[in-house]
Amino acid sequence: MSAALLSGLSQALSLEALLMTLIGVVAGITVGAIPGLTATMAVAVLVPFTFNMDAVLGLAMLLGIYVGGIYGGSISAILLRIPGTPSSIMTARDGYPLTQKGEAGRAIGISTFSSFSGGTLGIIALMIAAPLITPISLKFSAPELFMVALWGLSCLADVSGKNLVIGLISAALGILLGTVGMDPLVGAPRLTFGVSELFSGFEFVPVMIGLLGLPEIFRQIASMEKTKLDTSIIQKLKRVIPTWADIVRIKATILRGTLIGLWVGVLPGSTGGNMSSIMAYNYEVKVSKEKEKFGTGHIEGIAASESANNACVGGNLIPLLTLGIPGDSVTAILIGAFMIHNIQPGPMLYRNNPEIVYAIYASLWVAHLFMLIVGLFAARIFVRAISISKVQLIPMILVLMIAGAYSVNNNFFDVIVMLVFGVIGYMMENIDMPVAPMVLGLVLGPIVEVNLRTALVMSKGDFSIFFTRPICVAFWVLIALTLLGPRIADFLKRKRMQAMAG
Amino acid sequence: MRNISKKAGIIIALLTLSLIFSMALAGCGKSEQNKEVKWPEKPVTVIVPYGPGGGADQVARILAGIAEKKTGVKFTVVNKTGAVGSTGLLELSKANPDGYTIGIMPSNISTYKVAGIAPLTHEDFKLAIAVNYDACALIVRKDSGWNTFEDFKKAAQTKELKVATGSPGGLWHLGVIELENKTGLKFNTVPMSTGGAPAGVQLLGGHVDAIVIGPNEAASQIKSGDFKILAVMAPERSENFKDVPTFKELGYDIDVRSVRGIAAPKGTPDDIVKKIHDIFKEAAQDQQYKDYMKNSLSNATYMSTEEYTKYAANELISYSELMKKAGLAKEGK
């Protein structure tokens, strides 16, 4: 056992392996920061380069890209309000307002620190608890996953903005958009109007870039005539490393984000990073005493989202290593990379190649450490990038966005999708309809639908399947607490006040 | 002021670099028009109609890598996803037929037309060579108490069993339908919208009684002995599990396989198709490819241009019939 540990560590901490991890992290951050280029894509493209490498070296590089890619998305989310990857959707909500206040450096510092902490805690969980968590995660079949996603939806109201009804309309539209494409159980096309490009539904990344990123670009162009052309916001850059006060403020948030991110990562069939950060953010709003501050540059928002999506990396690796089953699209590619090096992830891995397991743990943590260093170091460069004149900046961002939307499927249709959703997003903002609930509906809606219907196929149409399974019942209680809890608390408080007044 | 513009210059350079990087990732390596008898003389684009990381993608990337080494010419793998694979294949069918745009051909090609997904069949392409197949397998848990298909059949006759499978209308799903057709059994079939591997999770968690998917999608559990295969839907036993019988041996004429090959657009000249065939035949002989197939519990195979074309024609007929029987066919077509 200890021989395997030493062998694994020495392989993962060799100079070559460290260099590969560093290359992976830098490449991952770069790719992640560019809207439309995701960690999945970067890992897939670079897998063939690792074919001829030593197994541990190859895995070190791929894990570096994975970790860097998930983190990199937060940089463009904070600086431009365009999430570089879907897992940073929620980071933009509080990161961008901070940039507008000239505190982009602080925002990136918080995001980097939270990603690092979430990731590290995730790895610790992976190391200690993987064999314990695995059997529980297997208990989650379609009915349970339906309940998880339903719980996610039940938190929607809190991110709906000032007007609850308009927020919910936005969410409902998102859910409706999520039904476009092939029916997940029967395979018949729905709401495609004969457009064959829509058969697989709206590609999420172009919709996300369009809805969240483009309206901001439009708004800036529209306001250009009124203001001077060179009015970029002056950014405070003295300090990127988070202050002790900030760290103390977000420590509980990071812990909650980590737990949610980890668990979403472990669950089979969830969509990994983006769902984990959405759930963590919503939950954070739910438990916060300063709900109204979220969306205005509240650092807890960044911390929740970023700690969750990096904790999700460790979570995703649990089913990959213990069962050989991928938790998200990146780990699906990693399985292929394992196979090429004659390593079979799964129960046999711990028995046959324990040194590989330890090497993976070590590489993963080293990748997070490099991410922390590179992220804090590069923050200044990135922040300066947005300090140039808008006349130069906006066209460059647009080109990047279009290239990004195109590169998801190498399909021009996705560029059109992005532009159309950009216009929709701009109009929605002009009528004060928040776009965030729509994006959340689009992510969670399909998960709810697929699992609801799969569960009903299993039970042959009997709804009692959602009430007879213990985990489902637990989630009903959780949902009831989420929805009614604050109201009951309010009611009791008022009662007590009345009693005291009376 | 000068300082700022210098910084801006650096930043523009950085952004431009990242743009170039993104373009390189996007793989904008489309070949120009140039008809030559010699092939390949310039980079070849290999279209994969599915996302990165899947089986088709892995096969393409390994073979492209080997072909690159053998020819000294770049084989760029491009993922063109959408509409259950038909988007990429539609693009391949319309590409310049000069051999510089080729693609991975999945068995799904035989389902598009009848399902109303895309007006595409194998006739829109020139099939050069088949390189790999995965046969549907009936898989149960180690502790199920069923050791043979007969055991399973007896249990299925007394009570309706839950059988999970891959995406609806996909190959693994057709396997379940064919199994029902040929054996007269009736299952509560649970198709998993996200593919075969999630069906394996359902079996592992004890939520279903059996699964019908390719063994490659549950390799880990099959290797560890948590799952056992009762029978496979191939004409002959797989090299990977020599003691697992085929359904044919058991007296049921079932052959449902997902065959992958290399195809070119319809008008590609025969001598270039032959060159494609030769290079990929050589690549598929490579030990790296064979090892990968063995490790992932998939099967390396070989069908010549003629054999593959004939196979695809038969496959189109049999899968169309299956789809119609299962009610998955679009009406009026």
Side-chain angles (χ1 to χ4, degrees), chain B residues 33-197:
Chain B
Q33 230 162 350
N34 186 8
K35 286 199 176 177
E36 286 278 341
V37 193
K38 269 190 177 175
W39 181 94
E41 290 194 309
K42 54 180 187 175
V44 177
T45 302
V46 184
I47 293 180
V48 175
Y50 299 102
D57 183 62
Q58 298 281 350
V59 168
R61 285 182 197 273
I62 294 174
L63 288 180
I66 301 168
E68 220 166 278
K69 261 188 256 160
K70 305 230 182 222
T71 58
V73 170
K74 185 121 186 68
F75 279 70
T76 314
V77 175
V78 178
N79 301 87
K80 298 254 179 188
T81 53
V84 280
S86 67
T87 306
L89 292 176
L90 201 63
E91 182 159 332
L92 177 63
S93 72
K94 288 178 186 159
N96 198 0
D98 59 359
Y100 288 100
T101 312
I102 57 175
I104 289 276
M105 180 60 57
S107 278
N108 273 1
I109 185 70
S110 302
T111 64
Y112 294 145
K113 204 171 179 179
V114 63
I117 293 166
L120 279 178
T121 66
H122 68 93
E123 287 166 359
D124 297 295
F125 303 91
K126 278 222 172 139
L127 305 182
I129 178 174
V131 289
N132 131 273
Y133 78 84
D134 294 296
C136 274
L138 176 65
I139 302 168
V140 297
R141 286 166 63 98
K142 175 178 67 181
D143 54 13
S144 62
W146 303 319
N147 289 314
T148 62
F149 177 68
E150 277 309 305
D151 298 343
F152 175 82
K153 197 179 158 189
K154 259 179 224 152
Q157 278 163 343
T158 50
K159 143 180 185 254
E160 191 183 64
L161 297 179
K162 276 189 200 132
V163 177
T165 186
S167 46
L171 259 293
W172 308 151
H173 189 196
L174 293 188
V176 185
I177 297 162
E178 180 74 338
L179 187 62
E180 287 186 323
N181 280 343
K182 294 278 163 77
T183 61
L185 296 171
K186 195 89 197 79
F187 308 121
N188 177 10
T189 307
V190 185
M192 304 302 293
S193 63
T194 40

Side-chain angles (χ1 to χ4, degrees), chain A residues 191-377:
Chain A
L191 298 175
T192 57
F193 302 101
V195 181
S196 69
E197 280 90 350
L198 285 178
F199 275 25
S200 352
F202 286 109
E203 184 61 50
F204 182 65
V205 170
V207 175
M208 174 194 81
I209 305 177
L211 269 182
L212 297 170
L214 267 183
E216 183 57 22
I217 302 276
F218 290 156
R219 205 180 55 76
Q220 293 201 5
I221 295 173
S223 66
M224 256 186 197
E225 288 192 353
K226 290 177 217 146
T227 55
K228 266 172 38 194
L229 287 179
D230 262 342
T231 49
S232 48
I233 302 147
I234 293 140
Q235 298 289 345
K236 284 177 239 162
L237 264 180
K238 272 197 191 124
R239 192 188 173 104
V240 178
I241 300 165
T243 60
W244 184 245
D246 275 353
I247 292 176
V248 171
R249 203 176 128 188
I250 57 174
K251 64 175 194 301
T253 305
I254 288 178
L255 212 58
R256 284 191 287 266
T258 301
L259 283 176
I260 292 176
L262 190 66
W263 190 244
V264 171
V266 168
L267 290 182
S270 58
T271 50
N274 44 359
M275 183 155 158
S276 69
S277 61
I278 289 171
M279 301 276 265
Y281 185 95
N282 289 356
Y283 184 71
E284 193 56 34
V285 178
K286 200 91 223 174
V287 298
S288 170
K289 290 194 180 71
E290 303 166 304
K291 287 189 181 41
E292 66 290 344
K293 283 196 184 160
F294 281 88
T296 63
H298 201 43
I299 57 169
E300 278 85 346
I302 301 174
S305 164
E306 285 301 311
S307 60
N309 64 31
N310 271 79
C312 195
V313 172
N316 275 325
L317 285 172
I318 290 179
L320 177 75
L321 294 178
T322 59
L323 301 173
I325 290 162
D328 70 348
S329 47
V330 179
T331 40
I333 301 169
L334 285 179
I335 282 204
F338 276 97
M339 298 280 203
I340 283 158
H341 290 113
N342 290 341
I343 302 164
Q344 175 72 51
M348 305 294 274
L349 182 62
Y350 286 81
R351 256 172 273 160
N352 298 348
N353 308 84
E355 74 285 355
I356 299 273
V357 177
Y358 294 119
I360 288 171
Y361 294 161
S363 290
L364 201 59
W365 191 72
V366 170
H368 275 95
L369 192 66
F370 283 145
M371 179 205 78
L372 180 73
I373 298 166
V374 174
L376 291 178
F377 175 76

Side-chain angles (χ1 to χ4, degrees), chain A residues 157-189:
Chain A
D158 288 292
V159 287
S160 294
K162 285 162 265 171
N163 190 324
L164 186 65
V165 176
I166 289 181
L168 291 181
I169 290 174
S170 169
L173 285 174
I175 295 171
L176 183 67
L177 287 172
T179 63
V180 173
M182 295 293 266
D183 178 291
L185 262 78
V186 188

